[in-house]
Amino acid sequence: MSATTRKKKRGDRYDATRVRVPYDLNAIFPYLMKGRNESIAYFPIDIDAENLLEYIAANKGTENEITIFQAVLLALTNVLRKRPTLNRYFIGRRLYQRRDIVFSFIAKKTFTDDGQETNVLVRIKPEDDRATILAKLRGEIHTAKSDGQKQDDKIISLFLHLPRGLLRAAIKILEWWDFYVDTPGFLRGIDPLRCSVYLANVGSVGLGAPYHHLFEWGTCSMFMTIGKIEPTVCVGEDGQPTVRRRLKLRVSLDERIADGYYDARSLELMETYLVDPTLLEKM
């Protein structure tokens, strides 16, 4: 029985099962590198986007209609399903395997300088197919952009009304409980920093993809930025210079959850799915 499907046992967390690490170098890493930003590794992913853009244009208005952001999310889902070690996190110096795939990202309610931002959290179950995943994604974005105040925004607002001293004390207590026990109940399914991957689609506002730090709060082991697609001079199949449109992704990853070889081979799958987006129809 896989770690993603077995029942919760002693030592497990609400969203993940504990992974027993062998007594080797990997076991001492969380004591030597206590935080995610001490353990961060950066991976560039540059993808030929010609096939992806043609696929998007050809399927516009059909049941296979898709955007660049949705294609990246679907590709990531396939990567994490095939290479589940990337869907792990450290907390309390212990390693855990998530049961589901969870994505977080920011959505602006209006594309203006002072447009309000809100977090979107999308939980993908092992049995979810492409249609279900896209429906969840669109539904969560629609909810986030609605006029109502979301639960996470209410909690943040409540905490920010505390005096600074009480706010610091409350955060310390929550961190202690998270470290030794589990995620506090009122944060479960709400806190956007308890996710498999945090995504930033900066290409949607015309920016290139930067590298981003990881967050010490929560359990997110991977941050991915999606840059704008740009024409790039590269070497063609005939060995001559040619111009191709390329999509640049930048990944920041907690290297304690897997070794560099596993990370690199896993992230190479992103290119496989995005260069041939028809593969994303089979989920």
Side-chain angles (χ1 to χ4, degrees):
M1 184 178 292
S2 70
T4 57
T5 57
R6 71 183 186 183
K7 293 183 178 179
K8 188 176 185 298
K9 295 182 179 180
R10 181 179 176 83
D12 292 347
R13 290 172 67 89
Y14 86 100
D15 63 345
T17 56
R18 186 177 175 186
V19 177
R20 304 289 175 174
V21 181
Y23 287 98
D24 57 14
L25 182 62
N26 291 324
I28 204 169
F29 272 169
Y31 294 90
L32 300 178
M33 299 181 291
K34 302 178 183 65
R36 294 186 185 92
N37 287 298
E38 288 184 75
S39 317
I40 199 168
Y42 299 106
F43 293 86
I45 307 175
D46 294 350
I47 297 167
D48 188 315
E50 294 292 342
N51 289 343
L52 176 59
L53 291 172
E54 290 173 5
Y55 180 86
I56 290 172
N59 286 281
K60 190 173 181 60
T62 72
E63 62 178 9
N64 287 326
E65 182 173 357
I66 199 173
T67 66
I68 292 169
F69 180 72
Q70 291 167 352
V72 170
L73 189 141
L74 289 174
L76 262 176
T77 300
N78 275 336
V79 169
L80 293 175
R81 283 176 171 174
K82 292 181 180 297
R83 309 284 286 179
T85 298
L86 282 192
N87 199 17
R88 291 179 174 181
Y89 63 82
F90 268 101
I91 197 166
R93 309 285 186 266
R94 292 176 175 176
L95 181 63
Y96 295 90
Q97 176 74 53
R98 293 185 188 279
R99 298 186 185 89
D100 300 323
I101 295 171
V102 184
F103 295 117
S104 287
F105 55 92
I106 292 287
K108 285 184 75 73
K109 293 191 175 184
T110 58
F111 281 99
T112 60
D113 288 346
D114 57 355
Q116 185 180 358
E117 293 183 337
T118 186
N119 279 291
V120 180
L121 196 68
V122 181
R123 182 176 301 276
I124 298 172
K125 298 287 186 181
E127 65 272 15
D128 289 348
D129 59 12
R130 171 187 168 118
T132 303
I133 294 168
L134 291 178
K136 284 184 175 182
L137 175 61
R138 292 162 182 155
E140 293 294 343
I141 292 175
H142 176 76
T143 300
K145 290 187 175 183
S146 65
D147 293 333
Q149 190 178 34
K150 292 169 51 259
Q151 190 63 27
D152 58 326
D153 295 327
K154 292 179 181 178
I155 291 174
I156 291 172
S157 178
L158 177 64
F159 271 83
L160 289 177
H161 278 86
L162 294 173
R164 285 179 296 173
L166 286 178
L167 178 56
R168 290 184 62 189
I171 296 298
K172 285 292 185 183
I173 291 170
L174 291 175
E175 288 177 336
W176 181 90
W177 190 267
D178 211 10
F179 189 99
Y180 289 105
V181 185
D182 202 345
T183 300
F186 70 94
L187 293 177
R188 298 179 183 184
I190 293 175
D191 187 346
L193 295 180
R194 298 174 194 279
C195 61
S196 308
V197 186
Y198 203 107
L199 295 133
N201 185 18
V202 296
S204 64
V205 292
L207 297 178
Y211 289 106
H212 199 283
H213 64 85
L214 296 174
F215 295 92
E216 300 301 342
W217 175 269
T219 59
C220 180
S221 298
M222 188 190 309
F223 197 110
M224 176 179 285
T225 60
I226 306 167
K228 64 179 179 179
I229 293 178
E230 298 181 286
T232 305
V233 177
C234 55
V235 179
E237 294 181 358
D238 59 359
Q240 298 301 310
T242 185
V243 176
R244 305 280 290 181
R245 292 171 292 179
R246 298 188 70 83
L247 171 63
K248 294 185 178 181
L249 311 175
R250 296 294 179 261
V251 176
S252 306
L253 183 63
D254 185 345
E255 69 168 346
R256 297 173 299 174
I257 64 174
D259 62 53
Y261 181 86
Y262 188 97
D263 294 339
R265 299 291 80 78
S266 300
L267 294 174
E268 282 177 355
L269 283 176
M270 287 294 298
E271 183 171 3
T272 299
Y273 290 116
L274 294 174
V275 168
D276 184 5
T278 60
L279 297 174
L280 299 176
E281 298 174 9
K282 308 166 186 176
M283 299 187 69

